[in-house]
Amino acid sequence: MTTKKQAKANALKKQHAYEARVAAKRRRRERIIRVTALVTAGALLLGGGLAVLLIAMHENNQAKASATTEATASSTADDEVTLESGWAVSPEPPDPSYAEDRTWTATLATSQGDIVVELDGAAAPQAVASFVELAKEGYFDGTDCHRLTTSGIYVLQCGDPTGTGTGGPGYRFGPVENAPADDFYPAGTVAMARVGGDGESMGSQFFIVYQDSTIPSDSAGGYTVLGQVVEGNGSVSRVAEAGTITGDTDGPPAMSVIVNEVSVS
C-alpha cells in the first residue's frame, strides 16, 4: 500500500521530470531561434525575402505580447545531442519516404483546445515527412500561432518558432504538392505556407483554414495541402471571432494560441 509520504514523493518526482522536459524544450527553442536568425539573414542577403505569405499580401511584423512561464532545470547531454543532430538544424529536409505513404494523425495540444489533424502522407509525402519529423523532435512545442486573416481568405497560421512570420528550420523544400486545381480550400484544410511565387520555400509554417476560402494560385502554383482537421476546428473559429490584436484583417490573433505540444501517430 502506498503511504502518503510515498505518494508525495512520487508526485514530486513527476513534477521534477515535467519541469526538466519544459526546460529542455525552452533551451531547444532558443537554439532553433538562433539558427533561424542565421538562415533568415542568409536568405535576405541573397535577395530572397523570407516573409512567408499565403498570397501577395503585406507582411505584418507587429510583435505579439504574450506571457509565458518558464520552469528551470538542468539540461541533459541527450537533449543537446538530439538538438544538434535534428531536422531543425539540417540543411536538407527529411526524405519523403519518411511519410510512409500513409495517413498520420497529428494532435496539436493548444491553449485553446486540442486540434486533431489527419495528414496525408501519400498525397503530400515531402510536406508530411517534414511535419512528422519536426513534431517528433518537439520543434512545434511552445510556439504560438502568429497570424490570423479574417477577410477574403480565412486562415490561422502557425509553425514559426520565432513568432515573427520569418522563421523556420534550417532547410526549405518544394515543389508544391497536392494543391487544389480550383484554388478552393474548404474549412478544415491544413496547408503549407510559403513565399509568394516561390514553390521551393516551404519550411515549418502551416495554416489552418477555418472557413471556406478561395486562395488564388501564383506563378509557383497553389499551396500544399498536407491534411484536414478532423476535430477542433471550432477552437480555431473562436480565435477568428476574436479578431486580430490591431483590429486589422491580417495580423496577430487577439486570442493567444500557443501550441503546447504536437504528437503524431
Side-chain angles (χ1 to χ4, degrees):
M1 180 179 295
T2 302
T3 66
K4 289 184 177 179
K5 185 176 181 180
Q6 289 173 327
K8 184 176 181 180
N10 290 338
L12 187 61
K13 184 177 180 181
K14 289 181 180 179
Q15 179 63 26
H16 287 166
Y18 171 76
E19 291 176 353
R21 290 196 300 271
V22 170
K25 288 176 181 177
R26 174 171 55 81
R27 289 189 298 275
R28 183 180 296 114
R29 187 70 50 224
E30 290 171 350
R31 184 74 64 83
I32 289 170
I33 289 173
R34 288 195 294 272
V35 171
T36 298
L38 293 174
V39 172
T40 302
L44 291 175
L45 285 174
L46 291 173
L50 197 59
V52 179
L53 304 177
L54 301 181
I55 57 177
M57 297 189 298
H58 72 279
E59 176 187 0
N60 191 321
N61 282 324
Q62 182 170 355
K64 178 181 178 182
S66 62
T68 59
T69 302
E70 295 185 349
T72 58
S74 60
S75 64
T76 66
D78 287 343
D79 291 329
E80 297 303 322
V81 170
T82 298
L83 178 62
E84 292 295 346
S85 61
W87 291 114
V89 296
S90 170
E92 298 294 334
D95 191 278
S97 65
Y98 285 18
E100 297 182 2
D101 196 28
R102 69 178 178 87
T103 298
W104 294 77
T105 298
T107 301
L108 285 65
T110 82
S111 57
Q112 301 301 331
D114 287 358
I115 301 171
V116 182
V117 181
E118 284 191 351
L119 303 174
D120 193 339
Q126 181 64 86
V128 172
S130 175
F131 187 96
V132 167
E133 293 303 308
L134 289 175
K136 286 180 177 179
E137 289 182 357
Y139 180 85
F140 299 111
D141 298 358
T143 61
D144 65 342
C145 295
H146 61 278
R147 184 185 185 196
L148 177 71
T149 63
T150 60
S151 179
I153 60 175
Y154 306 93
V155 304
L156 178 67
Q157 191 165 325
C158 314
D160 177 2
T162 70
T164 63
T166 63
Y171 60 80
R172 294 292 180 266
F173 67 86
V176 172
E177 304 171 292
N178 196 35
D182 59 359
D183 293 339
F184 180 69
Y185 298 76
T189 298
V190 181
M192 296 300 300
R194 60 173 174 80
V195 175
D198 187 353
E200 304 288 335
S201 61
M202 288 173 279
S204 62
Q205 295 190 45
F206 60 93
F207 59 93
I208 301 171
V209 180
Y210 62 86
Q211 182 176 320
D212 291 353
S213 299
T214 296
I215 306 176
S217 297
D218 58 21
S219 59
Y223 298 85
T224 295
V225 174
L226 69 159
Q228 298 288 326
V229 174
V230 295
E231 183 181 335
N233 205 41
S235 298
V236 184
S237 295
R238 286 194 298 275
V239 173
E241 289 172 3
T244 66
I245 287 178
T246 61
D248 294 334
T249 59
D250 185 352
M255 183 180 291
S256 175
V257 186
I258 306 298
V259 180
N260 296 313
E261 185 177 20
V262 178
S263 58
V264 291
S265 61

